[in-house]
Amino acid sequence: MIRILAVLAALFFVAPAIAQPLPAGLDKANAIVIDTTKGRIVIKLRNDLAPQHAERIKLLAREGYYNNVPFHRVIEGFMAQTGDGKNFNGTGGSKHPNLPAEFSSVPFKRGIVGMARTSDPNSANSQFFIMFAEGASLNGKYTVIGEVVAGMDVVDKIKRGEPVADPDKMVKVQVASDIK
């Protein structure tokens, strides 16, 4: 009952964001819309840099894998991590196989979205993170999958912690072209 009330409350608080138009010129087939407990985030996927990773994010969004998944690791001045729809704590991945690294020369800076992984460069699966600030130590070592094109103010409001107590969540994640 408490979980149902929490989901209903989250939907109530997200509802105003749903009416917001998407950024002009956005390639909706290569963008995801994340409605969170704090508002809406729109991410332009970089399928030109990381086609396998971009396709994985879209596949998982379409499967509903990301719905109600918490931001489990949020480090002030660094990044907000989410995407563990299995265990909800950063230790799980999807039913799909891990992906090979698709590193690029795009630098990790504020608003860049990267794929999380273990120490194995070819272990990315479902988890991703959004940068609060520059993270030069990640350059060339993690796959850039996109960039926030609307809603960085929402990212800035996500509750911090490692792990986060009573974390904010991705209430609903959709490929922009699928939104009716």
Side-chain angles (χ1 to χ4, degrees), residues 13 18 20 25 32 41 48 52 59 66 101 109 123 167 177 180:
F13 290 111
I18 293 172
Q20 294 175 351
I32 57 168
I41 303 165
D48 59 321
Q52 294 178 75
L59 173 68
Y66 290 131
K109 61 183 182 177
S123 63
S177 61
K180 304 295 179 221

Side-chain angles (χ1 to χ4, degrees), residues 8-130:
L8 290 174
L11 289 172
F12 173 77
F13 290 111
V14 170
I18 293 172
Q20 294 175 351
L22 296 175
L26 183 69
D27 175 5
K28 293 179 182 179
N30 288 299
I32 57 168
V33 176
I34 304 172
D35 289 314
T36 75
T37 48
K38 296 293 191 204
R40 178 171 273 188
I41 303 165
V42 180
I43 296 173
K44 170 187 167 184
L45 294 173
R46 295 294 307 269
N47 61 328
D48 59 321
L49 299 176
Q52 294 178 75
H53 289 75
E55 287 304 313
R56 171 64 58 82
I57 296 294
K58 291 188 292 186
L59 173 68
L60 293 173
R62 286 182 170 126
E63 290 179 348
Y65 181 83
Y66 290 131
N67 295 344
N68 296 308
V69 172
F71 287 90
H72 63 269
R73 183 174 178 234
V74 185
I75 303 170
E76 181 66 43
F78 183 40
M79 60 86 210
Q81 186 171 332
T82 186
D84 178 3
K86 180 179 180 184
N87 300 325
F88 303 100
N89 64 7
T91 63
S94 74
K95 65 183 179 184
H96 304 287
N98 289 345
L99 296 166
E102 294 180 293
F103 299 156
S104 69
S105 61
V106 172
F108 280 86
K109 61 183 182 177
R110 180 172 170 78
I112 290 294
V113 182
M115 213 57 184
R117 62 173 178 79
T118 67
S119 58
D120 176 356
N122 299 310
S123 63
N125 188 290
S126 64
Q127 295 185 47
F128 60 92
F129 56 90
I130 303 169

